[in-house]
Amino acid sequence: MPETTPKGLTRLAFGGDYNPEQWPETVWQEDVRLMREAGVTMVSVGIFSWAVLEPSPGVYDFGWLDRLLDLLHENGIRADLGTPTVAPPAWFYREHPDALPVTADGTRYEFGSRGAICHSNTHYRTAAANIATQLGTRYADHPALAMWHVHNEYGVPVSACYCESCAAHFRRWLADTYETVDAVNKAWGTAFWGQRYADLDQINPPRLSPTVGNPTQALDYKRFADATMRENFVAERDILHRLSPGIPVTTNFMTALSQCDSVDYWAWGREVDLVTNDHYLITDGRRTHVNLAMAADLTRSVGRGAPWLLLEHSTSGINWQTRNPAKAPGQMARNSLAHVARGSDGAMFFQWRQSRRGAEKFHSAMLPHAGTDSRVWREVVELGASVDSLSSVQGTRTQADVAVLWDWHSWWAQNLAWRPSEDHDPRERADAFYEALYDRHLTVDFAHPEADLSAYPLVVVPALYLMTEAAGNNLREYVENGGTLVVSYFSGIVDEHDAVHDGAYPGPLRDVLGLTVEEFSPLLQGELVRITGPDGSELAGDVWTEFVVPRGAETVWTYADGLAAGQPAVTRHRLGEGSAWYVSTRLGAQGLDALIGWAVDDARIAPRADLPRDVEVVRRTGESGTFLFAINHSAADAKVPLDAHGTELLTGERAAGHLGVPAGGVRVVKLDG
């Protein structure tokens, strides 16, 4: 079995991307001195270094990397060594311009950015395998090597190419997936609009067409593009496994739904030895710490609950959004330790030294342009000491209370053209339901719809337009065996080929929900509907309504107006030992809080009303003990109740009864016993 933890890293990972090729070697000594001052334990190197490692075809310069790795080892700093295959050199594209990707409208991208790769291109695949082999051969036994880091952020900024090489590769993928052209015709429903194919050679990628093309073809092309990137990762991984046994191989994910929508991370999580992630706050007016918690929970879930590693986040502002505010004092530490609370065995940054040139020169770093006499640097040094004090957390697992179902294939299918309403956004529903659970201080695992759900008293389905029969059976068995299920509208509509399930909506969910949906009735922009409860209380919905027919379910809330007036808006169905809730409109925060509250009661989850809003409490447990993280994102001091005595690791103080957490602060208690 491959190793799943960085070799030789006996403490939590703390450091960042280090790009010394941007600086004269005279700076390196100062860098490692300051790294030691800051408590750095690992750095990521070589990720964008192909052009300096192989300055011309077959000519290599490893001397500088030899000296760098030796210097890191001499100073007790581990290396996350990258294969630089995200950025092939200019000479490569000069020789192989066909390796540059082509857009759906036929435009070929140019060299000069990063990630401009046709992943089907054989020249690229050969060159990538070659540089990975060179690195694996040379550094397999280097004492600084902790882990291998293949490529960088697959799927960003380009995942799909539409060139002729991809067309041929797509046909091979279809042959492997479906075997025959008749099976493709059936899956794609090509009888519609006369799209039937007589041979696989007639099929092209879903390039620009006069109007909407075949939706299943478009869905399959997303699957193909994702699988093609994964093939390239696996090829490099296998080379490194062969040449460098005992060293884990990974690549950095971007699991946040706000940052990458082209990668099926359930599939990728099965291929890496250690799940790692990059996360950046999206400054769009949302509560950024909730998005952070959601991304961390999703990353941990992709790794099946095992400890993972935050490879990149920012010390302060970034530089690629429309507006890039600095982080407030203390926010960097709070963000970092929130990731650790939710399963990361460290906190690393992009990058160590802030660049003077290039596209990311205004992206913050551990060592900023302002140098060591700066707020950011002082906070980095303080955080390094805090991370070091939490070393006993390493290897423990985060404990979750509930599960949220998510499927990237469903997201891809939902976002194709010509759906009932462009205002229904599955990511928005996932964010909204997650936030409702977060505000009830519930820690979330994400799960695939066909995964074992028996460990969770409550399972929430915010948006699963695409659902297999197997997933429907899984949910029915979950409820029958005593689980509580909450399902939001427009779920269970199509199968894995984007074909509407036979019979009334919602297909495989009809039995578990005890209802059918006769018709969707999306609302116009800005239109609201009122829904009323049995006690006369009232909530509002927008975007969506449905004509729901109970078939065993009880009506809990009713539409008070709109086309569906008088018909069920929220239902509850008792099935076996459990119950299933369904909501057929888009509820706001108040309505979701009420809905989750009813479901929490059904699931017999103890209320946590004694915790203030924006104070998150998360536990990690393992052989080294149980650790309670209390993170205060609010502007007021808070008290968190403790169910056991313990030692607060950041201050060394004993804690009992209640734990005081200052405004904007973090406390971590190792509980006794």
Side-chain angles (χ1 to χ4, degrees), residues 55 70 80 88 100 192 210 231 264-265 289 398 437 442 453 458 503 528 537 548 556 570 574 579 641 657 659:
D70 290 347
D80 166 36
L100 289 162
F192 187 80
E231 285 177 11
D264 175 8
Y265 286 117
H289 56 278
T398 300
L437 294 165
L442 298 171
L453 304 172
L458 173 62
L528 299 175
S537 55
V548 174
V556 181
V570 177
R574 298 179 186 273
S579 60
L659 174 68

Side-chain angles (χ1 to χ4, degrees), residues 163-237:
C163 72
E164 286 302 318
S165 292
C166 288
H169 192 184
F170 184 44
R171 294 176 198 120
R172 294 193 297 273
W173 182 87
L174 291 172
D176 291 340
T177 303
Y178 293 103
E179 295 186 354
T180 68
V181 70
D182 288 341
V184 174
N185 282 318
K186 181 179 179 181
W188 290 8
T190 56
F192 187 80
W193 280 2
Q195 296 172 344
R196 184 171 180 82
Y197 298 100
D199 191 280
L200 291 176
D201 287 341
Q202 296 174 353
I203 299 176
N204 280 322
R207 294 168 175 148
L208 186 66
S209 57
T211 186
V212 174
N214 186 296
T216 314
Q217 179 188 18
L219 176 59
D220 267 351
Y221 205 74
K222 289 179 179 290
R223 291 168 169 151
F224 158 75
D226 176 59
T228 302
M229 292 188 293
R230 199 160 57 249
E231 285 177 11
N232 286 350
F233 166 76
V234 167
E236 292 191 48
R237 180 204 65 190

Side-chain angles (χ1 to χ4, degrees), residues 119 189 235 266 494 604 620 640:
H119 283 275
W266 294 126
V494 300
R604 298 181 178 86
R620 289 184 64 163
V640 171

Side-chain angles (χ1 to χ4, degrees), residues 309-569:
L309 183 56
L310 176 68
L311 273 186
E312 289 185 26
H313 72 312
S314 67
T315 57
S316 191
I318 56 177
N319 75 319
W320 42 264
Q321 297 184 77
T322 306
R323 297 168 185 83
N324 298 285
K327 289 186 176 180
Q331 187 179 1
M332 174 182 63
R334 195 163 63 251
N335 289 166
S336 300
L337 298 182
H339 283 290
V340 174
R342 294 177 184 272
S344 176
D345 269 359
M348 298 183 65
F349 296 89
F350 182 84
Q351 57 182 324
W352 162 252
R353 180 181 284 270
Q354 193 169 12
S355 298
R356 291 184 57 222
R357 299 174 175 84
E360 295 185 286
K361 56 182 171 287
F362 297 119
H363 191 297
S364 61
M366 299 176 77
L367 182 59
H369 291 147
T372 56
D373 187 15
S374 64
R375 173 180 71 89
V376 166
W377 173 254
R378 288 187 286 272
E379 290 193 20
V380 163
V381 174
E382 183 179 354
L383 176 60
S386 296
V387 169
D388 186 60
S389 71
L390 300 181
S391 292
S392 54
V393 171
Q394 188 177 28
T396 60
R397 290 186 173 225
T398 300
Q399 297 175 303
D401 303 299
V402 301
V404 170
L405 300 194
W406 183 256
D407 181 16
W408 278 273
H409 292 228
S410 178
W411 193 18
W412 298 341
Q414 166 68 72
N415 285 341
L416 296 173
W418 286 13
R419 298 310 188 231
S421 173
E422 65 177 15
D423 295 327
H424 170 49
D425 178 356
R427 178 202 153 191
E428 182 279 331
R429 283 293 80 188
D431 287 346
F433 272 90
Y434 182 90
E435 191 164 359
L437 294 165
Y438 179 95
D439 283 340
R440 286 186 171 265
H441 305 283
L442 298 171
T443 303
V444 172
D445 274 348
F446 286 84
H448 187 274
E450 297 179 15
D452 179 8
L453 304 172
S454 59
Y456 306 103
L458 173 62
V459 170
V460 175
V461 181
L464 273 180
Y465 160 79
L466 183 153
M467 180 178 286
T468 63
E469 289 287 347
N473 292 336
N474 189 40
L475 293 182
R476 186 185 68 250
E477 292 174 10
Y478 165 76
V479 173
E480 287 175 338
N481 290 327
T484 299
L485 178 69
V486 176
V487 178
S488 187
Y489 64 90
F490 206 44
S491 293
I493 306 304
V494 300
D495 67 11
E496 60 270 32
H497 302 301
D498 197 43
V500 173
H501 287 284
D502 284 341
Y505 310 129
L509 290 173
R510 290 191 296 258
D511 292 342
V512 68
L513 296 177
L515 55 80
T516 57
V517 174
E518 289 188 352
E519 191 177 1
F520 311 128
S521 184
L523 301 178
L524 299 179
Q525 188 173 16
E527 189 178 2
L528 299 175
V529 291
R530 293 180 299 116
I531 63 174
T532 55
D535 59 354
S537 55
E538 189 172 289
L539 295 171
D542 66 358
V543 171
W544 195 274
T545 63
E546 294 176 344
F547 295 95
V548 174
V549 179
R551 301 188 187 276
E554 60 178 299
T555 299
V556 181
W557 285 65
T558 304
Y559 287 110
D561 54 19
L563 291 181
Q567 299 193 45

Side-chain angles (χ1 to χ4, degrees), residues 631-661:
I631 304 166
N632 187 355
H633 299 282
S634 76
D637 294 347
K639 284 190 174 182
V640 171
L642 294 177
D643 54 11
H645 294 191
T647 300
E648 204 289 307
L649 298 180
L650 300 179
T651 63
E653 298 174 355
R654 291 291 293 169
H658 283 80
L659 174 68
V661 187

